[in-house]
Amino acid sequence: MQHLEFEPSPTLQNSIKCFWYTKRDFGEQESSFEVVPDGYAEIIFLFGSTCSISFNGDLQPLPSPFIMGLLNQPVILSAKNCLEIIGIRCFPWTVFDLLGLPSGKDEVHVFQHPIAQLQSTLGAYIHAGKIDDAITYVKEYFLNPESPITIDNKLSKAGVAMRETNGTMPVNQVAAAAHATVRTLERNFKQSSGYSVKDVSGLMRFEQVRNHLWLYPNSSIASLAHELGYTDQSHLSREFKRYSGTTPAAFARKAKKQNRTNDFVVFIQA
């Protein structure tokens, strides 16, 4: 598997965490893999093989592009042969504003939008192996002065505070950092992302535990609980199982068996 990440331009850093590219050959047989929750939403472009989502026991092909929203539990996808992906990793309070779409809480958002016109040109770059050119082309779309991005300044300040504390900051302190009342912040947060500040903070904190256990599976779970502000180890374990469907210990055992790189990739073979 090949995985690359690219930093956004400075003017996009309050809206987009990174751009990324992944290439993976699943073989001739349909294979399932998980998308594990984290604190981001993704705009996804697919190339090569089709990719399907498991829904009520059936596989439904995904369009390109689509939005993988903020997740509360793992999502099972399936693919075969060679699948290539370009992703735009967005903060959950910016992804819908980036596209001028109403927010929602669906795991997968299928939408009609001018950004879909990038598909054919991106596909040509991908087919030619020009990954850098493909990423540059996507970046230029969001830097287009004719389509300025408008992001709520209060949400940006709140997001910075939440990210800097890995989701451990209480809601009233997040509101203070954003120079807003708790009521105003929560209203704006739900309008922009579909979720509350507490929801997103919980996922941010889970993501820190998940990433740490993936890279360092022998870590002390009790120490992680203390470092990330959980009440105790049991609290961490409950929250971890809520989002991942498994215990921290089981996840760490799985991490030991996987081939790992320095970058955590959300696609884990099921």
Side-chain angles (χ1 to χ4, degrees):
M1 183 176 69
Q2 181 183 7
H3 180 77
L4 303 170
E5 294 191 359
F6 306 82
E7 291 187 0
S9 304
T11 55
L12 297 175
Q13 288 178 351
N14 285 335
S15 306
I16 295 172
K17 170 64 175 177
C18 70
F19 298 86
W20 55 272
Y21 164 81
T22 286
K23 179 179 181 180
R24 183 167 180 176
D25 193 341
F26 291 90
E28 296 182 358
Q29 299 297 319
E30 194 85 21
S31 298
S32 298
F33 58 98
E34 286 184 335
V35 177
V36 183
D38 59 19
Y40 302 98
E42 312 267 4
I43 302 171
I44 301 292
F45 287 88
L46 303 170
F47 308 93
S49 173
T50 58
C51 185
S52 302
I53 186 170
S54 178
F55 184 74
N56 292 333
D58 296 324
L59 290 179
Q60 298 183 1
L62 290 167
S64 181
F66 69 92
I67 294 175
M68 181 64 74
L70 202 65
L71 302 178
N72 284 317
Q73 59 186 2
V75 169
I76 305 299
L77 303 182
S78 295
K80 62 180 180 180
N81 299 321
C82 184
L83 176 65
E84 295 181 80
I85 302 171
I86 285 182
I88 304 155
R89 183 167 300 149
C90 306
F91 302 116
W93 53 89
T94 64
V95 62
F96 295 106
D97 286 342
L98 276 172
L99 299 176
L101 297 173
S103 64
K105 298 183 72 171
D106 295 335
E107 296 171 341
V108 171
H109 300 260
V110 177
F111 60 92
Q112 293 184 337
H113 190 275
I115 197 174
Q117 297 173 11
L118 276 59
Q119 180 76 28
S120 60
T121 301
L122 288 174
Y125 281 134
I126 295 297
H127 183 71
K130 297 180 178 179
I131 309 306
D132 288 343
D133 289 343
I135 297 298
T136 297
Y137 184 63
V138 177
K139 287 182 178 180
E140 288 175 348
Y141 174 85
F142 289 103
L143 291 171
N144 185 349
E146 296 181 3
S147 303
I149 299 170
T150 303
I151 302 298
D152 188 314
N153 189 46
K154 289 185 175 63
L155 294 181
S156 294
K157 291 179 179 179
V160 168
M162 294 164 68
R163 296 198 308 274
E164 287 181 345
T165 57
N166 296 322
T168 63
M169 181 177 283
V171 176
N172 64 327
Q173 293 183 25
V174 174
H179 305 293
T181 65
V182 170
R183 183 176 180 179
T184 297
L185 180 65
E186 287 285 18
R187 182 178 66 249
N188 292 354
F189 223 84
K190 287 186 177 180
Q191 287 175 347
S192 64
S193 70
Y195 288 86
S196 69
V197 175
K198 185 177 180 180
D199 291 334
V200 178
S201 293
L203 278 164
M204 285 181 170
R205 191 158 56 165
F206 160 77
E207 181 187 357
Q208 296 301 309
V209 179
R210 181 205 69 178
N211 290 357
H212 194 92
L213 289 178
W214 184 257
L215 295 172
Y216 311 103
N218 293 321
S219 298
S220 165
I221 296 172
S223 296
L224 278 176
H226 176 73
E227 291 172 14
L228 292 172
Y230 290 95
T231 305
D232 51 27
Q233 182 174 336
S234 296
H235 182 204
L236 183 154
S237 295
R238 287 195 304 273
E239 289 293 294
F240 194 94
K241 189 169 185 179
R242 170 190 171 192
Y243 292 123
S244 70
T246 189
T247 64
F251 183 86
R253 288 194 296 271
K254 187 174 184 178
K256 291 179 183 179
K257 297 178 182 179
Q258 297 285 335
N259 292 323
R260 301 186 296 278
T261 66
N262 289 331
D263 294 316
F264 181 89
V265 182
V266 294
F267 303 125
I268 300 177
Q269 190 73 37

